[in-house]
Amino acid sequence: MKKNKSTKIAAWFAVIFFVGTLFPYAYAAVDNGLKQLRTLVTVIEYVKENYVETTDTDKLVEGAIRGVVNELDDFSQYLAPKEYKALQNDTQGHFGGLGIRLAKVDGYVTIMSPMPNTPAYRAMVMPGDRVLFVDDQDLKDMELDEAVELMRGPVGSKVKVTLSRKDEKTGKYKTLPDFNFKRERIVPEVVYYRMLPEKVGYIYLVDFSGHSTEEVKKALKELNKQGMKSLILDLRFNPGGLLNGAAEIAKIFMGDHKMIVYTKGRKQEYYQELKTGLKADYPDLPLLLLINQGSASASEIVAGALQDNNRAVVVGQRSFGKASVQQVMPLEGGAGLRLTIAKYYTPNGRLIHRDYRDKSKADEGGIVPDVEVKVEPKEEAKVFMQYNNVIYTPGQDAPKMEFTEKDPVLDKALEIIKEGPEKIMAQKTEASKKETQQPESEGQKNDK
């Protein structure tokens, strides 16, 4: 098998060389690249034949492919079959599973909380249960990601899970009868909302997955029923997601065919404009947007669109600066290639993307807030851990979410709403006018 691969590689180079001799000008154009490719093949062949231990040719070639892609930027990526499948599940916003949040506790894969209305919840799986086996496969010493992968699968497929539960009297864990689950489509929570004082609605959007827009609309509808007068949309620590999701969120608050974002790449076909529709659901609702260093990609598109169109006051810290377009193409064997093909620009032409490999550009890119509030990332993380710490227990009422951590960014946003965000909007408009005015020439000044 390996010999056949070597023969095919050699034959491929022979064909290129032959074509090059027939077309000398074309050959000269690619000659340097071919030399490097020959070197790559030579290295792989030499390693395969002489390395101290037996090597896997497929893994060597895969490593070479990863090296090529990793040289480009931090976001282009070769995806092994398992990674490609996981990416598809993540972007679709659902997967076949049991509906449990897991963690490694004392070396055991442990259930932190079953998600309401899921197979695990209905089967009365309890927080603190340990997962011992999945389809008779021992989870001892297994990494958490591997255990999660075992529990996921096609919707409707069956899986056997063996759990142990702590006896409250003895403190010892007892193995329970096997649970035989049928995997279901699990839709993770991506939106948390509540009403703040003075009828200020608050929505925290976790990411832009396949269900973000419909969940945000549901939250807005419910807050509207409660008499919402203004809104704070929190995109802190939101890593982004689907471009269409970002566009749809922006359309909720902006109409009149306004520009949301545009992309530019090397090819004309990669130039794309995204605009709103004629009418928006909430075009006049006073709106504040919260961002921080963890806000990236789709979050920055929404923030840039609302900021440039003077639709929202942006509060917090400069965003991450990840605004490049990756195109994902399938490869043979179930693998995939995620390649950067373009970059995002805000309606006013600001490049959102930041080149982290070029240290001289550390202060470029990202969305700069209208009102900056500096907070240590670890302090902000405590605010959002409050959402993750909610534990659902079958047979008990859903716990009330308690917010005890200090949140200076949210406090500042509430202060702005109380004073009137229109003041900051007016200042932004005036500053924008001054920037667009052309300075007069000396001749014009003298004529006056």
Side-chain angles (χ1 to χ4, degrees):
M1 180 69 181
K2 291 182 179 178
K3 187 175 181 181
N4 288 340
K5 284 190 175 181
S6 302
T7 304
K8 287 180 181 178
I9 293 173
W12 182 70
F13 278 111
V15 170
I16 293 177
F17 181 82
F18 179 68
V19 172
T21 58
L22 292 177
F23 303 98
Y25 294 107
Y27 179 77
V30 299
D31 182 53
N32 189 55
L34 287 177
K35 286 180 181 178
Q36 293 294 84
L37 285 172
R38 289 193 199 101
T39 301
L40 174 62
V41 173
T42 299
V43 169
I44 291 176
E45 288 293 320
Y46 190 78
V47 169
K48 186 180 68 174
E49 297 296 333
N50 297 282
Y51 186 62
V52 65
E53 296 176 4
T54 303
T55 58
D56 186 325
T57 304
D58 288 341
K59 288 185 177 180
L60 292 178
V61 173
E62 182 178 310
I65 295 171
R66 288 186 186 276
V68 169
V69 179
N70 291 344
E71 183 66 23
L72 302 173
D73 58 35
D74 292 330
F75 304 104
S76 295
Q77 182 184 10
Y78 168 77
L79 301 162
K82 186 180 290 186
E83 295 169 322
Y84 182 51
K85 184 178 180 181
L87 175 67
Q88 290 176 309
N89 285 334
D90 289 343
T91 54
Q92 289 169 357
H94 61 81
F95 52 88
L98 311 181
I100 47 181
R101 287 163 47 205
L102 300 169
K104 248 328 189 34
V105 180
D106 296 329
Y108 290 90
V109 175
T110 304
I111 294 171
M112 302 308 294
S113 175
M115 301 161 87
N117 302 315
T118 62
Y121 192 88
R122 291 192 294 270
M124 299 293 286
V125 169
M126 304 297 282
D129 287 354
R130 290 174 173 175
V131 186
L132 304 181
F133 299 90
V134 176
D135 281 336
D136 296 324
Q137 188 166 340
D138 195 344
L139 268 59
K140 188 177 180 181
D141 301 324
M142 184 178 288
E143 293 296 326
L144 191 59
D145 288 347
E146 292 180 77
V148 170
E149 196 63 31
L150 285 177
M151 293 182 217
R152 286 185 174 184
V155 173
S157 61
K158 295 180 179 180
V159 60
K160 182 174 71 174
V161 179
T162 307
L163 303 176
S164 67
R165 182 170 296 165
K166 188 176 183 179
D167 187 300
E168 295 300 327
K169 293 181 180 179
T170 65
K172 295 182 179 180
Y173 281 83
K174 294 183 178 180
T175 302
L176 303 175
D178 290 335
F179 289 81
N180 292 291
F181 293 107
K182 182 182 285 187
R183 295 183 178 97
E184 293 182 6
R185 178 171 171 264
I186 306 298
V187 182
E189 284 187 280
V190 293
V191 169
Y192 296 91
Y193 68 92
R194 65 187 193 273
M195 187 68 82
L196 301 176
E198 308 297 328
K199 297 295 182 181
V200 178
Y202 172 87
I203 294 177
Y204 166 43
L205 180 58
V206 178
D207 61 33
F208 290 85
S209 61
H211 306 277
S212 297
T213 303
E214 61 183 277
E215 292 303 317
V216 167
K217 286 185 175 182
K218 286 179 184 177
L220 284 167
K221 189 174 181 179
E222 184 56 38
L223 290 169
N224 213 30
K225 287 180 182 178
Q226 298 176 33
M228 173 178 60
K229 294 181 179 178
S230 56
L231 175 70
I232 294 174
L233 179 60
D234 199 339
L235 299 182
R236 288 177 291 175
F237 292 111
N238 184 319
L242 299 174
L243 172 60
N244 287 343
E248 291 304 314
I249 295 296
K251 289 177 182 178
I252 293 174
F253 305 106
M254 295 193 305
D256 299 326
H257 301 296
K258 288 188 172 70
M259 177 78 77
I260 297 172
V261 70
Y262 65 91
T263 64
K264 282 197 305 185
R266 284 176 60 199
K267 294 184 176 181
Q268 180 61 35
E269 64 195 80
Y270 295 144
Y271 180 84
Q272 181 184 10
E273 293 182 353
L274 284 178
K275 294 185 177 182
T276 66
L278 178 60
K279 294 183 178 180
D281 296 333
Y282 299 88
D284 303 314
L285 180 68
L287 178 64
L288 272 76
L289 193 75
L290 309 187
I291 60 172
N292 68 355
Q293 307 99 314
S295 306
S297 188
S299 297
E300 296 174 291
I301 290 171
V302 173
L306 297 176
Q307 189 181 52
D308 279 8
N309 285 292
N310 215 22
R311 178 62 186 87
V313 176
V314 180
V315 182
Q317 298 179 70
R318 182 195 290 263
S319 62
F320 184 79
K322 193 281 176 190
S324 53
V325 183
Q326 277 75 46
Q327 186 179 68
V328 180
M329 62 175 288
L331 301 175
E332 289 185 15
L337 174 65
R338 179 161 54 187
L339 185 68
T340 301
I341 58 169
K343 293 179 180 179
Y344 294 114
Y345 294 80
T346 71
N348 289 348
R350 292 181 293 160
L351 174 61
I352 301 172
H353 198 71
R354 185 186 309 184
D355 186 353
Y356 278 87
R357 294 187 178 184
D358 188 343
K359 301 303 180 185
S360 66
K361 298 180 179 179
D363 293 328
E364 298 180 10
I367 299 297
V368 179
D370 300 308
V371 180
E372 185 178 27
V373 182
K374 292 187 176 181
V375 185
E376 288 294 321
K378 61 181 181 181
E379 296 301 318
E380 276 190 309
K382 291 179 183 178
V383 174
F384 294 96
M385 282 304 295
Q386 295 174 121
Y387 293 101
N388 297 323
N389 288 337
V390 174
I391 296 176
Y392 298 98
T393 305
Q396 297 182 16
D397 292 336
K400 184 179 179 181
M401 200 171 289
E402 299 290 342
F403 297 93
T404 58
E405 295 293 338
K406 184 173 176 58
D407 191 347
V409 179
L410 182 58
D411 290 343
K412 184 62 178 179
L414 289 169
E415 180 186 315
I416 292 170
I417 288 177
K418 188 175 181 179
E419 293 177 354
E422 60 274 2
K423 293 180 181 179
I424 294 176
M425 291 290 195
Q427 292 171 1
K428 287 172 60 178
T429 302
E430 188 62 31
S432 179
K433 287 180 180 178
K434 288 181 180 179
E435 286 179 6
T436 55
Q437 287 177 350
Q438 295 294 327
E440 296 175 324
S441 65
E442 287 298 317
Q444 288 175 315
K445 289 180 180 178
N446 294 335
D447 289 341
K448 287 183 177 179

